[in-house]
Amino acid sequence: MYTNIFDAHCHYDDEWYNEDRTETIESLPSKGVCGVVTNATDLENVKLVLQLAEKYPFVYGTVGIHPECLENLPTNYLNTVAEISQKEKIVAIGEIGLDYYWDIPKDAQMKVVKEQLALASDLDMPVVFHDREAHGDTMDLLRKYKPKGLLHCYSGSTEMLKEVLKLGMYISLGGVVTFKNARVPVEVAKEVPLDRLLLETDAPYLAPVPFRGKRNDSSLIPYIAEKIAEIRGISPQELIDITTDNAKRMYGI
Ligand code: NI
């Protein structure tokens, strides 16, 4: 069994856990999990994120507006994000970013992500950034705002990776690296310097093989670690230990 597992990005507020959220979270330490960062995506679910983070010592949270959650955003939302970000167990501004897969107006996405990047920089906090099919604009924003933090569920090329690293950011890889058709994530897993890599589940989504399509949770990180460790020629526990150190350093835990 592995120990010292840190899940750098997940969503334990998700309704998929409504039946057994407490049991699921409380079982994690006995499965080797030492830390998880559960991400808010709007001002509603951040309440549960905060509750979980305040209840469990190994659970940390983020606050931020996800690009898929722009509808009915109050005009003073940024004040609320800023206020919640100061709570002790809130470790980053996230999940923020750009999503060009779904049909969401780009100008609205840009406005909200820029405001949150500026806030993170004012507060000197890391961001958790979501980039789905928006690599070009994402890089423009990262160059301009130079946030510290994480490009989560990294889906860019190895070329883009070089620039992300140069800007000082970290990336995380999750279940996608175990998928049969994973080509680019495997390349990225080969290339990324080990001191810039974090492991994540994005639970409840993106469960690794052999659980693909099922509900994910942080106890499945070993399947991701085993795949990447094999690519890198180190032991899974060694990879887990390194990525856990990275996550704690990046989130300031
Ligand atoms: Ni996510």
Side-chain angles (χ1 to χ4, degrees):
M1 197 190 103
Y2 302 109
T3 58
N4 199 30
I5 295 164
F6 195 104
D7 185 352
H9 180 96
C10 51
H11 299 273
Y12 282 115
D13 66 283
D14 195 277
E15 59 183 26
W16 209 342
Y17 299 109
N18 281 358
E19 300 294 311
D20 60 351
R21 181 174 293 102
T22 302
E23 296 89 313
T24 305
I25 296 177
E26 290 182 357
S27 74
L28 294 175
S30 68
K31 296 171 179 166
V33 175
C34 72
V36 309
V37 177
T38 190
N39 279 236
T41 56
D42 63 29
L43 295 181
E44 214 27 67
N45 59 33
V46 73
K47 294 173 190 164
L48 183 49
V49 164
L50 202 52
Q51 266 179 38
L52 296 172
E54 285 173 348
K55 181 170 176 193
Y56 300 107
F58 65 96
V59 176
Y60 300 84
T62 70
V63 59
I65 310 297
H66 190 284
E68 284 173 54
C69 305
L70 303 183
E71 241 171 90
N72 306 320
L73 197 60
T75 48
N76 66 344
Y77 83 93
L78 201 62
N79 292 334
T80 312
V81 171
E83 201 176 296
I84 297 173
S85 75
Q86 297 309 295
K87 303 269 186 190
E88 202 192 332
K89 294 292 292 295
I90 298 294
V91 293
I93 302 296
E95 176 174 357
I96 67 172
L98 295 172
D99 196 312
Y100 293 172
Y101 175 80
W102 300 108
D103 187 18
I104 309 159
K106 290 186 183 177
D107 53 342
Q109 294 194 47
M110 269 297 178
K111 177 177 182 289
V112 171
V113 76
K114 284 179 175 174
E115 287 170 346
Q116 294 182 100
L117 284 167
L119 176 70
S121 140
D122 286 349
L123 297 170
D124 196 27
M125 283 179 80
V127 301
V128 178
F129 202 98
H130 167 104
D131 157 25
R132 190 167 188 196
E133 299 187 7
H135 302 326
D137 285 350
T138 291
M139 286 315 302
D140 285 346
L141 288 174
L142 300 185
R143 280 183 211 113
K144 180 162 181 225
Y145 289 88
K146 299 194 170 54
K148 51 182 191 176
L150 177 65
L151 207 46
H152 104 87
C153 199
Y154 182 79
S155 61
S157 64
T158 51
E159 288 311 302
M160 175 171 155
L161 176 66
K162 286 186 192 127
E163 207 185 336
V164 171
L165 296 169
K166 212 181 275 174
L167 289 166
M169 292 188 81
Y170 292 73
I171 66 152
S172 52
L173 294 173
V176 177
V177 78
T178 69
F179 293 177
K180 215 174 161 189
N181 55 358
R183 192 179 55 81
V184 178
V186 167
E187 280 302 307
V188 168
K190 237 180 247 170
E191 304 264 322
V192 60
L194 286 179
D195 63 353
R196 297 293 191 88
L197 176 66
L198 273 53
L199 299 180
E200 69 158 89
T201 56
D202 209 10
Y205 307 104
L206 298 176
V209 171
F211 302 100
R212 189 172 179 179
K214 301 219 169 72
R215 191 180 77 175
N216 200 357
D217 70 64
S218 308
S219 70
L220 301 184
I221 286 268
Y223 292 91
I224 301 160
E226 282 170 3
K227 174 72 185 192
I228 299 175
E230 182 196 321
I231 293 169
R232 299 301 290 244
I234 60 175
S235 80
Q237 185 64 59
E238 203 178 335
L239 182 77
I240 288 169
D241 290 339
I242 294 169
T243 52
T244 293
D245 279 352
N246 295 342
K248 288 182 173 171
R249 183 170 66 248
M250 195 205 78
Y251 284 121
I253 291 169

